[in-house]
Amino acid sequence: MLGFYVHVPFCSAICNYCNFNRGLFDPALKARYVEALVGEIQRADRAERAERAEGRGQRAEADTIFFGGGTPSLLEPDEIARIIETCRSVFALAADAEITLEANPETVTEARLAAFRSAGINRLSFGVQSFRESELRRLSRLHTADRARAAVAEARAAGFDNLSLDLMMWLPEQQVAEWLESVDAAVALAPEHLSLYLLEVYPNAPLKDEMARANWSQAPDEDAAAMYLAAMERLEAAGYEQYEISNVARPGCRSRHNLKYWTDGEWLGFGCGAHSTRDGARWKNVASTDDYILRMMRGESVAVDVRRLSPDERLGDLLFTGLRLADGVNLDTIRAEYGVDIWERHRPELEPFVEAGVLQHDGPRLWLTRQGMLLAHEVMAIFV
Ligand code: SF4
C-alpha cells in the first residue's frame, strides 16, 4: 500500500543545528501553503483518474500518512483534518491507517492534542532531543524537559496510545552518563517508540560557530559508539526491540510509514522538498516554500528531478535501505525479484566484513550486527 508524506516547513524558531527544509512560521504564508498542499493532493486525484481510465483498476490504497517538518504541530487541527480528508477523497485510505504528526512539546496543550486526535491523527512523534536543560539550551530548543514530560502526559490524557520520542546523542559537551540520563528519562515515560540520532554538526550550522566560541566539543568517536551501544542495551532491557539502526519500538509499534522507506515501498510526498517513489520512478518537489506555492497557483508542476530508476539503482537502494533494518535483507527474495545473487556478486567485498563481525550471513539473510551498525555506511558503500 502507498504511504503519504506531508511536509510542513514552518518552525517557531530555527534551531542552531538544523539542516532540514524549514523557515520561520508566518500565519499568512502558512494559510497559502495549506491551500497549495490541498491543491497538490487534488492534482494527484486527476492523475489517479487518468490511470484508472487507462485500466489501472481500483483507487490506489494507502495505509499511512506522516506529517513531517519543520514543525507540523504548528498547523491548526482543522487544517490537518482538511489535508487528511483530501487524501481520503482521492485514495482508498485504510480504516486503520497510521497517521503520524511530528510535534514539538512547546506547541501543544491537552486541548490542542485532543483536537488533533479528532482530526484523525493517531500517532504522535515528539521532538524531545534531551531531558537535560543545559543540553536543550545548547541546541537552542524552545522547550524544557518538564514541558516535554507534560506534553507526553497531555497526549496520554487526549487518548493517544502510540507515541514516539526523538532523542539526540553526541551533543556538545555531553558525556556517556549524561546521555543515558536522557534515555532513562524517556523510558520512564513509556513511549511506544523511540528514535535515537547522532548529532551531526554541519559546516554552515550556527552551532558550529557557537561551539568554537564557547569551546564546546563533542566527545571522542569511541564515546559516541559507547553512547549508541549502551542506549540500545538499556532500551532492550526495558522491553524495546531495535528494528532499525536508529529506531526501537515496543512489539507491534514499529513505524509503518518509515518501514516503507526501508522495505522497497512506495510513497507520495506532498509539499515543498517532499520526495516520492512510485512505479519505479522517483521525484522530488521544488524545495522553496514560495516557489512551491507560486507554481501551484500558476497550475505548474512542482516536481523537479523526475527519474526512472534502472533495475540496478532500485537494487542498490533496496540494499542500502534494507541493511538499516535489524532483520537485514533476504537474499533469496532479492534473487527472485531482481535475478541477482548478491552474495556471489559481492562476496570478495562482503566476506571481510563478515569475518570482522560487522555483517552476518546465515541462510538467505544478510544483516548488520549492532556493532556493525556503527559502520553501516562503509558496508552500504559496496552497493551504491
Ligand atoms: S524544530 Fe526541527 S525542523 Fe524546526 S528548526 Fe528545530 S530542528 Fe529544524
Side-chain angles (χ1 to χ4, degrees):
M1 288 204 208
L2 275 173
F4 304 129
Y5 173 79
V6 181
H7 190 68
V8 181
F10 306 112
C11 292
S12 307
I14 303 301
C15 303
N16 57 11
Y17 60 92
C18 180
N19 193 36
F20 297 120
N21 185 20
R22 77 304 178 253
L24 274 179
F25 180 71
D26 165 341
L29 182 64
K30 182 220 28 176
R32 283 191 287 136
Y33 185 76
V34 170
E35 289 305 319
L37 268 179
V38 168
E40 191 191 1
I41 301 167
Q42 287 169 340
R43 195 183 271 182
D45 186 30
R46 287 199 286 281
E48 287 294 311
R49 281 174 200 272
E51 293 269 359
R52 286 204 295 281
E54 283 175 21
R56 186 203 276 265
Q58 304 294 322
R59 288 203 303 167
E61 294 181 316
D63 66 349
T64 65
I65 304 178
F66 191 102
F67 289 87
T71 308
S73 51
L74 288 174
L75 292 196
E76 291 307 314
D78 63 332
E79 292 169 321
I80 293 284
R82 188 171 164 218
I83 294 166
I84 294 172
E85 281 317 307
T86 310
C87 288
R88 209 186 296 280
S89 70
V90 176
F91 299 92
L93 191 62
D96 69 341
E98 174 193 274
I99 307 183
T100 305
L101 182 78
E102 284 188 339
N104 281 352
E106 75 279 3
T107 61
V108 298
T109 59
E110 186 181 328
R112 197 168 163 79
L113 288 169
F116 282 131
R117 192 160 167 71
S118 302
I121 299 294
N122 54 27
R123 183 172 182 270
L124 290 170
S125 174
F126 281 120
V128 173
Q129 318 313 351
S130 168
F131 282 95
R132 301 188 76 242
E133 296 304 334
S134 57
E135 292 172 358
L136 288 168
R137 299 293 78 76
R138 263 177 221 143
L139 294 176
S140 69
R141 297 294 304 206
L142 296 178
H143 64 272
T144 61
D146 279 348
R147 174 86 289 272
R149 288 189 182 91
V152 170
E154 288 160 1
R156 294 299 190 200
F160 284 96
D161 59 3
N162 197 355
L163 298 183
S164 181
L165 306 184
D166 281 0
L167 291 180
M168 251 185 341
M169 68 189 106
W170 209 25
L171 305 181
E173 297 294 284
Q174 189 183 53
Q175 304 299 310
V176 179
E178 293 167 344
W179 156 244
L180 292 175
E181 275 177 36
S182 281
V183 174
D184 289 343
V187 169
L189 295 174
E192 282 67 35
H193 186 282
L194 282 147
S195 300
L196 315 180
Y197 301 105
L198 281 152
L199 171 69
E200 198 170 336
V201 184
Y202 293 95
N204 59 354
L207 178 60
K208 194 171 175 73
D209 291 339
E210 288 168 31
M211 286 174 67
R213 277 199 303 275
N215 213 11
W216 296 332
S217 57
Q218 285 174 292
D221 287 3
E222 312 83 78
D223 287 6
M227 286 178 192
Y228 178 80
L229 296 172
M232 289 302 174
E233 273 172 29
R234 220 166 256 219
L235 289 164
E236 235 164 39
Y240 293 90
E241 295 170 341
Q242 182 184 11
Y243 70 102
E244 196 265 352
I245 288 183
S246 305
N247 289 281
V248 302
R250 296 246 182 244
C253 298
R254 298 176 179 195
S255 161
R256 276 156 61 191
H257 182 81
N258 287 340
L259 278 167
K260 292 186 193 297
Y261 301 145
W262 304 315
T263 55
D264 207 14
E266 297 197 322
W267 63 92
L268 293 177
F270 299 114
C272 60
H275 292 241
S276 303
T277 296
R278 194 178 185 195
D279 293 339
R282 174 163 305 167
W283 64 95
K284 72 173 185 207
N285 284 355
V286 60
S288 146
T289 307
D290 288 335
D291 200 5
Y292 171 80
I293 294 172
L294 200 63
R295 285 179 186 227
M296 283 305 305
M297 284 169 58
R298 288 181 179 155
E300 296 170 3
S301 170
V302 291
V304 290
D305 202 9
V306 183
R307 301 178 53 226
R308 183 146 289 281
L309 300 177
S310 70
D312 257 8
E313 283 174 311
R314 286 191 68 181
L315 179 55
D317 281 3
L318 167 61
L319 289 161
F320 187 85
T321 53
L323 279 175
R324 295 187 61 91
L325 295 169
D327 288 344
V329 291
N330 185 311
L331 300 182
D332 284 353
T333 311
I334 291 174
R335 187 169 41 222
E337 217 163 292
Y338 291 88
V340 177
D341 185 330
I342 292 296
W343 184 251
E344 282 313 309
R345 185 192 266 191
H346 293 289
R347 182 194 282 257
E349 301 137 283
L350 292 171
E351 262 178 352
F353 283 116
V354 174
E355 281 156 21
V358 169
L359 264 180
Q360 280 197 287
H361 178 216
D362 187 12
R365 271 184 68 210
L366 184 70
W367 73 100
L368 287 164
T369 62
R370 185 167 289 157
Q371 285 280 351
M373 286 180 174
L374 291 161
L375 300 170
H377 283 281
E378 290 179 36
V379 178
M380 291 164 177
I382 294 172
F383 305 117
V384 288

Coordinates of all heavy atoms in Angstrom, one line a residue, residues 9-86:
P9 N 6.8 23.1 6.4 CA 8.2 23.7 6.5 C 8.2 24.9 7.5 O 9.0 25.9 7.2 CB 8.5 24.1 5.1 CG 7.1 24.6 4.6 CD 6.1 23.7 5.2
F10 N 7.4 24.9 8.5 CA 7.4 26.1 9.4 C 7.9 25.7 10.8 O 7.5 24.7 11.4 CB 6.0 26.7 9.5 CG 5.4 27.0 8.1 CD1 4.4 26.2 7.7 CD2 6.0 28.0 7.4 CE1 3.8 26.5 6.4 CE2 5.5 28.2 6.1 CZ 4.4 27.5 5.6
C11 N 8.6 26.6 11.5 CA 9.1 26.4 12.8 C 9.0 27.8 13.6 O 9.1 28.8 13.0 CB 10.5 26.0 12.9 SG 10.7 24.3 12.2
S12 N 8.7 27.7 14.9 CA 8.6 28.9 15.7 C 9.9 29.6 15.8 O 10.0 30.9 16.0 CB 8.1 28.6 17.1 OG 7.0 27.8 17.0
A13 N 11.0 28.9 15.8 CA 12.4 29.4 15.8 C 13.3 28.4 15.1 O 12.9 27.2 15.0 CB 12.9 29.6 17.3
I14 N 14.4 28.8 14.6 CA 15.2 27.9 13.9 C 16.4 27.4 14.8 O 17.2 28.2 15.3 CB 15.8 28.6 12.6 CG1 14.7 29.2 11.7 CG2 16.7 27.6 11.9 CD1 13.7 28.1 11.3
C15 N 16.4 26.1 15.0 CA 17.4 25.5 15.9 C 18.8 25.7 15.3 O 18.9 25.6 14.1 CB 17.1 24.1 16.2 SG 15.5 23.8 16.9
N16 N 19.8 25.8 16.2 CA 21.1 26.2 15.7 C 21.9 25.0 14.9 O 22.9 25.3 14.3 CB 22.0 26.7 16.8 CG 22.1 25.7 17.9 OD1 21.7 24.5 17.8 ND2 22.7 26.1 19.1
Y17 N 21.3 23.8 14.9 CA 22.0 22.7 14.3 C 21.2 22.2 13.1 O 21.6 21.3 12.4 CB 22.1 21.5 15.3 CG 20.8 21.0 15.8 CD1 20.1 20.0 15.1 CD2 20.2 21.7 16.9 CE1 18.8 19.6 15.6 CE2 18.9 21.2 17.3 CZ 18.3 20.2 16.7 OH 17.0 19.8 17.1
C18 N 20.0 22.9 12.8 CA 19.1 22.3 11.9 C 19.5 22.4 10.4 O 19.9 23.4 9.9 CB 17.7 23.0 12.0 SG 16.5 22.3 10.9
N19 N 19.3 21.3 9.7 CA 19.6 21.2 8.3 C 18.4 20.8 7.5 O 18.6 20.3 6.4 CB 20.8 20.2 8.1 CG 21.4 20.2 6.8 OD1 21.5 21.3 6.2 ND2 21.8 19.1 6.2
F20 N 17.2 20.9 8.1 CA 16.0 20.5 7.4 C 15.5 21.6 6.5 O 15.9 22.8 6.6 CB 14.9 20.1 8.3 CG 15.3 18.9 9.2 CD1 15.3 19.0 10.6 CD2 15.6 17.7 8.6 CE1 15.7 17.9 11.3 CE2 16.0 16.6 9.3 CZ 16.0 16.7 10.7
N21 N 14.5 21.3 5.7 CA 13.9 22.3 4.8 C 12.8 23.0 5.6 O 11.7 22.4 5.8 CB 13.3 21.5 3.6 CG 12.7 22.5 2.5 OD1 13.1 23.7 2.5 ND2 11.8 22.0 1.7
R22 N 13.1 24.1 6.1 CA 12.1 24.8 7.0 C 12.4 26.3 7.0 O 13.4 26.8 6.6 CB 12.2 24.3 8.4 CG 13.4 24.7 9.3 CD 14.7 24.4 8.6 NE 15.9 24.8 9.3 CZ 16.7 25.8 8.8 NH1 16.3 26.6 7.9 NH2 17.8 26.0 9.4
G23 N 11.4 27.1 7.5 CA 11.6 28.5 7.7 C 10.7 29.0 8.8 O 10.0 28.2 9.4
L24 N 10.8 30.3 9.1 CA 10.1 30.8 10.3 C 8.6 30.8 10.0 O 8.1 31.1 8.9 CB 10.5 32.2 10.6 CG 11.7 32.3 11.6 CD1 12.1 33.7 11.8 CD2 11.5 31.6 12.9
F25 N 7.8 30.5 11.0 CA 6.3 30.5 10.9 C 5.8 31.8 10.6 O 6.2 32.8 11.2 CB 5.8 30.0 12.3 CG 4.3 29.9 12.3 CD1 3.6 28.9 11.6 CD2 3.5 30.8 13.0 CE1 2.3 28.8 11.6 CE2 2.1 30.7 13.0 CZ 1.5 29.7 12.3
D26 N 4.9 31.9 9.7 CA 4.2 33.1 9.3 C 2.8 32.7 9.0 O 2.5 31.9 8.0 CB 4.9 33.7 8.1 CG 4.1 34.8 7.3 OD1 2.9 34.9 7.5 OD2 4.8 35.5 6.6
P27 N 1.8 33.2 9.8 CA 0.4 32.7 9.6 C -0.2 32.8 8.2 O -0.8 31.9 7.7 CB -0.4 33.5 10.6 CG 0.6 34.1 11.5 CD 1.9 34.2 10.8
A28 N 0.2 34.0 7.5 CA -0.4 34.2 6.2 C 0.2 33.2 5.2 O -0.5 32.6 4.3 CB -0.1 35.6 5.8
L29 N 1.5 33.0 5.3 CA 2.2 32.1 4.4 C 1.7 30.7 4.7 O 1.5 29.9 3.7 CB 3.7 32.2 4.7 CG 4.6 31.3 3.8 CD1 4.5 31.7 2.3 CD2 6.1 31.4 4.2
K30 N 1.5 30.3 5.9 CA 1.0 29.0 6.3 C -0.3 28.8 5.6 O -0.6 27.7 5.0 CB 0.9 28.8 7.8 CG 0.5 27.5 8.2 CD -0.5 27.4 9.3 CE -1.4 28.5 9.6 NZ -2.3 28.2 10.7
A31 N -1.2 29.8 5.7 CA -2.6 29.6 5.1 C -2.5 29.3 3.6 O -3.1 28.4 3.0 CB -3.4 30.8 5.4
R32 N -1.6 30.1 2.9 CA -1.4 29.9 1.5 C -0.8 28.5 1.2 O -1.1 27.8 0.2 CB -0.6 31.0 0.9 CG -1.4 32.3 0.7 CD -0.6 33.3 -0.1 NE 0.5 33.8 0.6 CZ 1.7 34.0 0.2 NH1 2.0 33.7 -1.1 NH2 2.7 34.5 0.9
Y33 N 0.1 28.1 2.1 CA 0.8 26.8 1.9 C -0.2 25.6 2.0 O -0.2 24.7 1.2 CB 1.9 26.6 2.9 CG 2.7 25.4 2.8 CD1 3.7 25.3 1.7 CD2 2.5 24.3 3.6 CE1 4.4 24.2 1.6 CE2 3.3 23.1 3.4 CZ 4.2 23.1 2.4 OH 5.0 22.0 2.2
V34 N -1.1 25.7 3.0 CA -2.1 24.7 3.2 C -3.0 24.6 1.9 O -3.3 23.5 1.4 CB -3.0 24.9 4.5 CG1 -4.2 24.0 4.5 CG2 -2.1 24.7 5.7
E35 N -3.4 25.7 1.4 CA -4.2 25.7 0.1 C -3.4 25.0 -1.0 O -3.9 24.2 -1.7 CB -4.5 27.1 -0.4 CG -5.5 27.9 0.4 CD -6.8 27.1 0.6 OE1 -7.3 26.6 -0.4 OE2 -7.3 27.1 1.7
A36 N -2.1 25.3 -1.1 CA -1.3 24.7 -2.1 C -1.2 23.2 -1.9 O -1.3 22.4 -2.8 CB 0.1 25.3 -2.1
L37 N -1.0 22.8 -0.6 CA -1.0 21.3 -0.3 C -2.2 20.6 -0.7 O -2.2 19.5 -1.4 CB -0.8 21.1 1.2 CG 0.6 21.0 1.8 CD1 0.4 20.9 3.3 CD2 1.4 19.9 1.3
V38 N -3.4 21.2 -0.4 CA -4.6 20.6 -0.7 C -4.7 20.5 -2.3 O -5.1 19.5 -2.8 CB -5.8 21.4 -0.1 CG1 -7.1 20.9 -0.7 CG2 -5.8 21.2 1.4
G39 N -4.3 21.5 -2.9 CA -4.3 21.6 -4.4 C -3.4 20.5 -5.0 O -3.8 19.8 -5.9
E40 N -2.3 20.2 -4.3 CA -1.4 19.2 -4.9 C -2.0 17.8 -4.7 O -1.9 17.0 -5.6 CB 0.0 19.3 -4.2 CG 1.0 18.4 -4.9 CD 2.3 18.2 -4.2 OE1 2.5 18.7 -3.1 OE2 3.2 17.5 -4.8
I41 N -2.6 17.6 -3.6 CA -3.2 16.2 -3.4 C -4.4 16.1 -4.4 O -4.6 15.0 -4.9 CB -3.7 16.1 -1.9 CG1 -2.5 16.2 -1.0 CG2 -4.4 14.7 -1.7 CD1 -2.9 16.4 0.5
Q42 N -5.2 17.1 -4.6 CA -6.3 17.0 -5.5 C -5.7 16.8 -7.0 O -6.4 16.1 -7.8 CB -7.1 18.3 -5.5 CG -8.0 18.3 -4.2 CD -8.7 19.7 -4.0 OE1 -8.2 20.7 -4.5 NE2 -9.7 19.7 -3.2
R43 N -4.6 17.4 -7.2 CA -4.0 17.2 -8.5 C -3.6 15.7 -8.7 O -3.7 15.2 -9.8 CB -2.7 18.1 -8.6 CG -2.2 18.2 -10.0 CD -0.9 19.0 -9.9 NE -1.1 20.5 -10.0 CZ -0.1 21.3 -10.0 NH1 1.2 20.9 -9.9 NH2 -0.3 22.6 -10.1
A44 N -3.2 15.1 -7.6 CA -2.9 13.6 -7.7 C -4.2 12.9 -8.1 O -4.1 11.8 -8.7 CB -2.4 13.1 -6.4
D45 N -5.3 13.4 -7.6 CA -6.6 12.8 -8.0 C -6.8 12.7 -9.5 O -7.2 11.7 -10.0 CB -7.7 13.6 -7.3 CG -9.1 13.0 -7.5 OD1 -9.1 11.7 -7.6 OD2 -10.1 13.7 -7.6
R46 N -6.5 13.8 -10.2 CA -6.6 13.9 -11.6 C -5.7 12.8 -12.3 O -6.1 12.1 -13.2 CB -6.3 15.2 -12.2 CG -7.4 16.3 -11.9 CD -7.3 17.5 -12.8 NE -6.2 18.4 -12.4 CZ -6.2 19.2 -11.4 NH1 -7.3 19.3 -10.7 NH2 -5.2 20.0 -11.2
A47 N -4.5 12.7 -11.7 CA -3.6 11.7 -12.3 C -4.1 10.3 -12.0 O -4.1 9.4 -12.9 CB -2.2 11.8 -11.6
E48 N -4.7 10.1 -10.8 CA -5.3 8.8 -10.5 C -6.4 8.4 -11.4 O -6.5 7.3 -11.9 CB -5.8 8.8 -9.0 CG -4.7 8.7 -8.0 CD -3.9 7.4 -8.0 OE1 -4.5 6.4 -8.0 OE2 -2.6 7.5 -8.1
R49 N -7.3 9.4 -11.6 CA -8.5 9.2 -12.5 C -8.0 8.8 -13.9 O -8.5 7.9 -14.5 CB -9.3 10.4 -12.6 CG -10.2 10.6 -11.4 CD -10.9 11.9 -11.5 NE -11.4 12.4 -10.2 CZ -12.6 12.0 -9.7 NH1 -13.4 11.3 -10.4 NH2 -12.9 12.5 -8.5
A50 N -6.9 9.5 -14.4 CA -6.4 9.2 -15.7 C -5.9 7.7 -15.7 O -6.1 7.0 -16.7 CB -5.3 10.2 -16.1
E51 N -5.2 7.4 -14.7 CA -4.6 6.0 -14.6 C -5.8 5.0 -14.6 O -5.7 4.0 -15.3 CB -3.9 5.8 -13.3 CG -2.6 6.6 -13.2 CD -1.4 5.9 -13.7 OE1 -1.6 4.7 -14.1 OE2 -0.3 6.4 -13.6
R52 N -6.8 5.3 -13.9 CA -7.9 4.3 -13.8 C -8.6 4.2 -15.2 O -9.0 3.1 -15.6 CB -8.9 4.7 -12.7 CG -8.4 4.5 -11.3 CD -9.5 4.3 -10.3 NE -10.3 5.5 -10.2 CZ -9.9 6.5 -9.4 NH1 -8.8 6.5 -8.7 NH2 -10.7 7.6 -9.3
A53 N -8.7 5.4 -15.8 CA -9.3 5.4 -17.2 C -8.5 4.5 -18.1 O -9.1 3.9 -19.0 CB -9.4 6.8 -17.7
E54 N -7.2 4.4 -17.9 CA -6.4 3.6 -18.7 C -6.3 2.1 -18.3 O -5.5 1.3 -18.7 CB -5.0 4.1 -18.8 CG -4.9 5.4 -19.7 CD -3.5 6.0 -19.6 OE1 -2.5 5.3 -19.3 OE2 -3.4 7.2 -20.0
G55 N -7.1 1.8 -17.2 CA -7.2 0.4 -16.8 C -6.4 0.0 -15.6 O -6.3 -1.2 -15.3
R56 N -5.9 0.9 -14.8 CA -5.2 0.5 -13.6 C -6.2 -0.2 -12.6 O -5.7 -1.0 -11.8 CB -4.5 1.7 -12.9 CG -3.7 1.3 -11.7 CD -3.5 2.4 -10.8 NE -2.4 3.3 -11.2 CZ -1.2 3.2 -10.7 NH1 -0.8 2.2 -9.9 NH2 -0.2 4.0 -11.1
G57 N -7.4 0.1 -12.7 CA -8.4 -0.5 -11.8 C -8.8 0.3 -10.7 O -9.2 1.4 -10.9
Q58 N -8.8 -0.3 -9.5 CA -9.3 0.3 -8.3 C -8.5 1.6 -7.9 O -7.4 1.8 -8.4 CB -9.1 -0.6 -7.1 CG -9.7 -2.0 -7.3 CD -11.2 -1.9 -7.4 OE1 -11.8 -1.1 -6.6 NE2 -11.9 -2.7 -8.2
R59 N -9.1 2.4 -7.0 CA -8.4 3.5 -6.4 C -7.2 3.0 -5.7 O -7.2 1.9 -5.1 CB -9.3 4.2 -5.4 CG -10.4 5.0 -6.1 CD -10.9 6.1 -5.2 NE -11.3 5.7 -3.9 CZ -11.5 6.5 -2.8 NH1 -11.4 7.8 -3.0 NH2 -12.0 6.0 -1.7
A60 N -6.1 3.7 -5.8 CA -4.9 3.2 -5.1 C -5.1 3.2 -3.6 O -5.7 4.1 -3.1 CB -3.7 4.1 -5.5
E61 N -4.6 2.2 -2.9 CA -4.8 2.1 -1.5 C -3.6 2.6 -0.8 O -2.5 2.5 -1.2 CB -5.0 0.6 -1.1 CG -6.2 0.0 -1.7 CD -6.4 -1.5 -1.3 OE1 -5.4 -2.2 -1.3 OE2 -7.5 -1.9 -0.9
A62 N -3.9 3.2 0.4 CA -2.8 3.8 1.2 C -3.1 3.5 2.7 O -4.3 3.3 3.1 CB -2.8 5.3 1.0
D63 N -2.1 3.3 3.5 CA -2.3 3.0 4.9 C -1.5 3.8 5.8 O -1.5 3.5 7.0 CB -2.1 1.5 5.1 CG -0.7 1.0 4.9 OD1 0.1 1.8 4.4 OD2 -0.4 -0.1 5.3
T64 N -0.8 4.8 5.3 CA -0.1 5.7 6.3 C -0.1 7.1 5.7 O 0.0 7.4 4.5 CB 1.4 5.3 6.5 OG1 2.1 5.5 5.3 CG2 1.6 3.9 7.0
I65 N -0.1 8.1 6.7 CA 0.1 9.5 6.4 C 1.1 10.0 7.5 O 0.9 9.7 8.6 CB -1.1 10.4 6.4 CG1 -2.2 9.8 5.5 CG2 -0.8 11.8 6.1 CD1 -3.5 10.6 5.5
F66 N 2.2 10.7 7.0 CA 3.1 11.2 8.0 C 3.3 12.7 7.8 O 3.8 13.1 6.7 CB 4.5 10.4 7.8 CG 5.5 10.7 8.9 CD1 5.7 9.7 9.9 CD2 6.2 11.9 9.0 CE1 6.6 9.9 10.9 CE2 7.1 12.1 10.0 CZ 7.3 11.1 11.0
F67 N 2.9 13.5 8.8 CA 3.1 14.9 8.7 C 4.5 15.2 9.3 O 4.7 15.0 10.6 CB 2.0 15.6 9.5 CG 0.7 15.6 8.9 CD1 -0.2 14.6 9.1 CD2 0.3 16.7 8.0 CE1 -1.5 14.6 8.5 CE2 -1.0 16.6 7.4 CZ -1.8 15.6 7.7
G68 N 5.5 15.6 8.5 CA 6.8 15.8 9.0 C 7.2 17.3 8.7 O 6.6 18.0 8.0
G69 N 8.3 17.7 9.3 CA 8.7 19.1 9.1 C 10.2 19.3 9.3 O 11.0 18.4 9.2
G70 N 10.4 20.6 9.6 CA 9.6 21.6 10.2 C 8.8 21.2 11.5 O 9.2 20.2 12.1
T71 N 7.8 21.9 11.8 CA 7.0 21.6 13.0 C 5.5 21.5 12.5 O 4.8 22.5 12.6 CB 7.2 22.7 14.0 OG1 8.6 23.0 14.2 CG2 6.5 22.4 15.3
P72 N 5.1 20.3 12.1 CA 3.7 20.2 11.7 C 2.7 20.5 12.7 O 1.5 20.9 12.4 CB 3.6 18.7 11.3 CG 5.0 18.3 11.1 CD 5.8 19.1 12.0
S73 N 3.0 20.4 14.0 CA 2.0 20.8 15.0 C 1.7 22.3 15.1 O 0.9 22.7 15.9 CB 2.5 20.3 16.4 OG 3.8 20.7 16.7
L74 N 2.4 23.1 14.2 CA 2.0 24.5 14.1 C 0.8 24.7 13.2 O 0.2 25.7 13.2 CB 3.2 25.3 13.6 CG 4.4 25.5 14.5 CD1 5.5 26.2 13.8 CD2 3.9 26.3 15.8
L75 N 0.4 23.6 12.5 CA -0.8 23.7 11.7 C -2.0 23.6 12.7 O -1.9 23.0 13.8 CB -0.9 22.6 10.7 CG 0.0 22.6 9.5 CD1 -0.5 21.6 8.4 CD2 0.2 24.0 8.9
E76 N -3.1 24.2 12.3 CA -4.3 24.1 13.2 C -4.9 22.7 13.0 O -4.9 22.2 11.8 CB -5.3 25.2 12.8 CG -4.9 26.6 13.2 CD -4.4 26.7 14.7 OE1 -5.2 26.1 15.5 OE2 -3.4 27.2 15.0
P77 N -5.6 22.2 14.0 CA -6.2 20.9 13.8 C -7.2 20.8 12.6 O -7.3 19.8 11.9 CB -7.0 20.7 15.2 CG -6.1 21.4 16.1 CD -5.6 22.6 15.4
D78 N -7.9 21.9 12.4 CA -8.8 21.8 11.2 C -8.1 21.8 9.9 O -8.6 21.2 8.9 CB -9.9 23.0 11.3 CG -9.3 24.3 11.1 OD1 -8.1 24.5 11.6 OD2 -9.9 25.3 10.6
E79 N -6.9 22.4 9.9 CA -6.1 22.3 8.6 C -5.6 20.8 8.4 O -5.6 20.3 7.3 CB -4.9 23.3 8.7 CG -5.4 24.7 8.7 CD -4.3 25.7 9.0 OE1 -3.4 25.4 9.9 OE2 -4.2 26.8 8.4
I80 N -5.2 20.2 9.5 CA -4.7 18.8 9.5 C -5.9 18.0 9.0 O -5.8 17.1 8.1 CB -4.2 18.3 10.9 CG1 -3.0 19.1 11.3 CG2 -4.1 16.8 10.9 CD1 -1.7 18.6 10.6
A81 N -7.1 18.2 9.6 CA -8.3 17.4 9.2 C -8.6 17.6 7.7 O -8.9 16.6 7.0 CB -9.5 17.9 10.0
R82 N -8.4 18.8 7.2 CA -8.7 19.0 5.8 C -7.8 18.3 4.9 O -8.1 17.7 3.9 CB -8.6 20.6 5.5 CG -9.1 21.0 4.2 CD -9.2 22.5 4.1 NE -9.3 22.8 2.7 CZ -8.7 23.9 2.1 NH1 -8.0 24.7 2.9 NH2 -8.8 24.1 0.8
I83 N -6.5 18.3 5.3 CA -5.5 17.5 4.5 C -5.8 16.0 4.5 O -5.7 15.4 3.4 CB -4.1 17.9 5.0 CG1 -3.8 19.3 4.7 CG2 -3.0 17.0 4.3 CD1 -2.5 19.9 5.5
I84 N -6.1 15.5 5.7 CA -6.4 14.1 5.8 C -7.6 13.7 4.9 O -7.6 12.8 4.2 CB -6.6 13.6 7.2 CG1 -5.3 13.8 8.0 CG2 -7.1 12.2 7.3 CD1 -5.5 13.6 9.5
E85 N -8.6 14.6 5.0 CA -9.9 14.3 4.3 C -9.6 14.4 2.8 O -10.2 13.6 2.0 CB -11.0 15.3 4.7 CG -11.7 14.9 6.0 CD -12.0 13.4 6.1 OE1 -12.6 12.9 5.1 OE2 -11.5 12.8 7.0
T86 N -8.7 15.3 2.4 CA -8.4 15.4 0.9 C -7.7 14.1 0.5 O -8.1 13.6 -0.6 CB -7.5 16.6 0.6 OG1 -8.2 17.8 1.2 CG2 -7.4 16.9 -0.9

